Amino acid sequence: MRWSGLFVLLFLVYHVLDLTIGTLHPSSVAPFQAGQPYANVVGDFRIGFVALIYALAVGLLGLHLNHGIWSFFQTLGLTRSRGGRRLRAAATAVAVALTAGNVLIPLAVLAGVVR
Ligand code: HEM
């Protein structure tokens, strides 16, 4: 949890420098364009290495959330009740859905579905 949290924080710094400010945006395929997030995302993920970084980062975020959502329920004292197992499943379902949605973005660009 600690390591995945630290990695997500580092990813966030890289991510803002890449897609919001543009200083770390790879300009070899398409230069960063202020106010054009769609073009910047597509330019990013046409580079396999960048797509891989994002896929790994959102995967780790998924693991972090899976544990974090469960811990949230635990803090509220809900996990000892009879519905505890269902809450465990709900935490995992939310984490899997978010991860799948996030991973689809770089994959869709790499596959040429989003251009
Ligand atoms: C494949 C996944 C992702 C894509 C394609 C994506 C895309 C973007 C884009 C295009 C921007 C710039 C928006 C703008 O300049 O108007 C942005 C900003 C941002 N993203 Fe992401 N993002 C992704 C994942 C994430 C994740 C996992 C987090 C949080 C853990 C995150 C947090 C942020 C934050 C805090 C900003 C800065 C706020 C802003 O510029 O509006 N993003 N993202």
Side-chain angles (χ1 to χ4, degrees):
M1 188 88 188
R2 192 181 301 172
W3 288 109
S4 57
L6 186 65
F7 187 89
V8 170
L9 188 65
L10 289 176
F11 164 73
L12 212 52
V13 174
Y14 160 71
H15 179 53
V16 169
L17 290 173
D18 174 28
L19 285 173
T20 302
I21 300 171
T23 42
L24 286 186
H25 189 76
S27 54
S28 55
V29 173
F32 180 79
Q33 301 173 57
Q36 301 294 329
Y38 184 95
N40 292 332
V41 167
V42 172
D44 237 9
F45 296 154
R46 275 164 58 197
I47 301 171
F49 180 67
V50 177
L52 182 69
I53 292 177
Y54 271 80
L56 286 176
V58 295
L60 261 176
L61 175 66
L63 289 176
H64 189 75
L65 281 178
N66 183 33
H67 187 91
I69 296 169
W70 170 246
S71 294
F72 166 75
F73 289 140
Q74 213 168 23
T75 303
L76 293 181
L78 298 173
T79 52
R80 282 199 227 141
S81 66
R82 280 197 318 181
R85 280 175 62 180
R86 252 182 281 157
L87 287 177
R88 170 82 266 184
T92 302
V94 170
V96 167
L98 281 173
T99 305
N102 276 337
V103 150
L104 270 178
I105 304 169
L107 289 186
V109 175
L110 269 186
V113 178
V114 171
R115 302 182 237 177

